[in-house]
Amino acid sequence: MGLYIIAAILLLPLIEIAMFIWVGGLIGVFPTILLTVITALAGTVMLRQQGLSLLMRMQTELDAGRTPGNEVMQGAMIVLASILLLIPGFVTDAIGLLLFIPPVREALARFIIARSNVVIVDGGGGMRRPDDGVVDLDEGDWSEKNSGTGGGSGQPKLSPWQDGSDNAKP
């Protein structure tokens, strides 16, 4: 798989240069540059339009108590499509425009999900309950103080919750 990615990274610029030369020979230099700028602007507009509608669908899923897994995948592909449209080149523009078509996006999402291994990790299993009497502080959350008010003993206070006397609960 890694070899395919390296080959794509090396071949894509060469293919884009060849397409620029070919299209520039057909329609001219200035129309080619103008077409590249127009596709970048179209990508920006399409990202705004479809991105906002996707965010609203994600919010609806979250409000209903469901995980917006499909919407997250769709959002990732919309972002990828807009990035491809912003990159100068006709091949990346064509792929980006295809990704903005919802049926193409859904088919690609199904293809990727079918070949993916998703593991959901429950991060809340190791968390402490609030009633187990433990206060977890970072180094910046507390400091050692010696104010001389700790029951007259002059011992340093090690916690903001203890008053420094011997009868304080640990």
Side-chain angles (χ1 to χ4, degrees), residues 55-156:
L55 285 175
M56 290 166 53
R57 286 195 314 253
M58 287 175 75
Q59 187 63 45
T60 303
E61 289 293 312
L62 287 172
D63 289 343
R66 296 185 294 263
T67 305
N70 185 39
E71 284 76 12
V72 170
M73 181 66 104
Q74 298 282 330
M77 284 193 271
I78 286 173
V79 169
L80 177 64
S82 63
I83 290 171
L84 288 173
L85 283 173
L86 290 174
I87 295 173
F90 294 109
V91 175
T92 54
D93 289 347
I95 295 169
L97 287 173
L98 283 174
L99 285 177
F100 272 116
I101 301 171
V104 173
R105 239 186 3 246
E106 290 171 12
L108 183 61
R110 282 193 304 270
F111 178 81
I112 291 171
I113 290 171
R115 285 156 182 74
S116 298
N117 185 15
V118 177
V119 177
I120 299 174
V121 178
D122 183 18
M127 295 187 63
R128 293 186 175 133
R129 295 181 312 263
D131 59 344
D132 64 1
V134 176
V135 177
D136 189 16
L137 297 174
D138 292 331
E139 187 175 344
D141 291 340
W142 69 279
S143 64
E144 185 175 333
K145 295 181 181 176
N146 190 0
S147 63
T149 60
S153 65
Q155 294 181 351

Side-chain angles (χ1 to χ4, degrees), residues 36-58:
T36 303
V37 170
I38 288 172
T39 57
L41 292 175
T44 304
V45 169
M46 293 173 88
L47 173 64
R48 177 176 284 177
Q49 177 197 13
Q50 290 195 10
L52 288 175
S53 68
L54 181 70
L55 285 175
M56 290 166 53
R57 286 195 314 253
M58 287 175 75

Side-chain angles (χ1 to χ4, degrees), residues 2-22:
L3 188 59
Y4 292 127
I5 294 172
I6 292 172
I9 290 172
L10 293 175
L11 289 177
L12 186 63
L14 297 175
I15 293 169
E16 292 289 9
I17 290 170
M19 288 298 294
F20 270 124
I21 293 171
W22 182 67

